[in-house]
Amino acid sequence: MPKKKKRGRVLRYLPGRGSVFKLSKGDFVEIFISYKELERFTELLIISSKTAPAAISRPTPFNISALQENLRGLLQFTNTSVFPVAVKAELQSVLELTITGIEIVPFPRLNTLISLQDLIAQLLQITLLLNISSLHKDQLVSVIRSTKVSLIIASVGISGSGSPDPPDPPGLTKTEPFNPFIASSYIPGQVVIYEGSSYVVDTVAPLGLPGTSPDFTLLVSSGSTGVTGSAGVTGVTGATGSTVSSI
């Protein structure tokens, strides 16, 4: 009679990308998961395939928030899962670090991309060890691969700093005397002259007066009144007028 395979526990799990399970002779690796857990895990992977690439390609507040919510969902799932302790700890650490990194302002695209790639590697390893049907496992692997490819495409053009370059400051426009009656039409970069000094408009439709309002920045200050000059040279005496004889 053939011997049954012994189902042993995971003895050691080496952290890092490309991690492997080290087993002693006779140990058998399998991660059991309930149908309800599998449904939730599948749902979270599908959501990740959309939120992760979107946040990297277009890091808008909405996309970043959606990714954060998805990662928190994965973390909550992991915390309550029946994964082996070593597997759970590794996945928890990657998720915690990724979530923390996303909270940095401005959004660190490059660092987040690297963290998401590590996370994908962990999720793929776990998926391959799940005790589920080959068909379902292939579907999950396909979702993970698709996410990986989408992240690579979304990462094109990311600079070394990992964040978009800041917009250039508005250029200065024409200079004209400050007129409070048309101040609502001023735009950033407009230069106005007020009481001899030049100011740059910092916002659309600035309020107040240049020199006192934060909506204006001093560009060139008028100089102080100069010292009174010395008296000029006395002019030449005029010619004597003709004498009028009296009658």
Side-chain angles (χ1 to χ4, degrees):
M1 180 181 294
K3 295 183 179 181
K4 293 184 179 180
K5 291 182 179 179
K6 179 183 178 182
R7 292 180 179 175
R9 62 184 179 86
V10 174
L11 295 183
R12 186 179 177 192
Y13 184 66
L14 300 178
R17 188 178 298 180
S19 304
V20 295
F21 288 97
K22 264 194 170 182
L23 308 172
S24 60
K25 186 177 180 180
D27 285 333
F28 180 73
V29 176
E30 238 178 343
I31 296 179
F32 291 89
I33 186 171
S34 68
Y35 182 76
K36 184 177 181 180
E37 287 178 322
L38 180 59
E39 280 190 325
R40 179 57 176 163
F41 186 61
T42 303
E43 178 187 11
L44 289 168
L45 287 183
I46 293 175
I47 295 175
S48 297
S49 69
K50 303 180 185 300
T51 59
I56 296 300
S57 63
R58 296 183 66 248
T60 62
F62 177 82
N63 287 342
I64 295 174
S65 177
L67 177 59
Q68 288 176 321
E69 183 178 352
N70 174 225
L71 294 178
R72 291 192 183 102
L74 272 170
L75 181 59
Q76 182 180 14
F77 169 82
T78 303
N79 292 340
T80 58
S81 71
V82 294
F83 292 164
V85 175
V87 179
K88 180 182 292 189
E90 178 72 5
L91 186 54
Q92 285 171 326
S93 66
V94 175
L95 284 167
E96 288 282 9
L97 292 176
T98 305
I99 293 172
T100 301
I102 293 176
E103 295 173 350
I104 298 175
V105 178
F107 179 69
R109 294 176 69 194
L110 182 59
N111 290 342
T112 302
L113 174 64
I114 294 173
S115 296
L116 289 174
Q117 289 173 335
D118 288 338
L119 175 61
I120 289 175
Q122 297 296 329
L123 292 173
L124 179 60
Q125 289 177 359
I126 291 173
T127 299
L128 293 174
L129 293 173
L130 290 179
N131 181 29
I132 57 178
S133 68
S134 298
L135 178 60
H136 203 151
K137 183 175 295 187
D138 289 343
Q139 291 174 342
L140 294 182
V141 170
S142 177
V143 172
I144 295 173
R145 286 177 176 172
S146 175
T147 305
K148 175 72 173 181
V149 173
S150 297
L151 277 176
I152 293 174
I153 296 174
S155 66
V156 174
I158 293 182
S159 62
S161 63
S163 58
D165 295 330
D168 295 330
L172 302 181
T173 62
K174 64 179 182 178
T175 301
E176 62 182 54
F178 174 73
N179 186 340
F181 297 104
I182 63 171
S184 60
S185 65
Y186 291 159
I187 61 175
Q190 170 72 54
V191 178
V192 296
I193 299 175
Y194 182 69
E195 294 185 345
S197 297
S198 300
Y199 297 85
V200 179
V201 177
D202 294 329
T203 185
V204 176
L207 302 175
L209 297 176
T212 58
S213 170
D215 294 347
F216 299 87
T217 297
L218 178 64
L219 183 62
V220 179
S221 177
S222 61
S224 58
T225 303
V227 178
T228 303
S230 59
V233 179
T234 305
V236 179
T237 303
T240 303
S242 58
T243 303
V244 179
S245 59
S246 58
I247 300 177

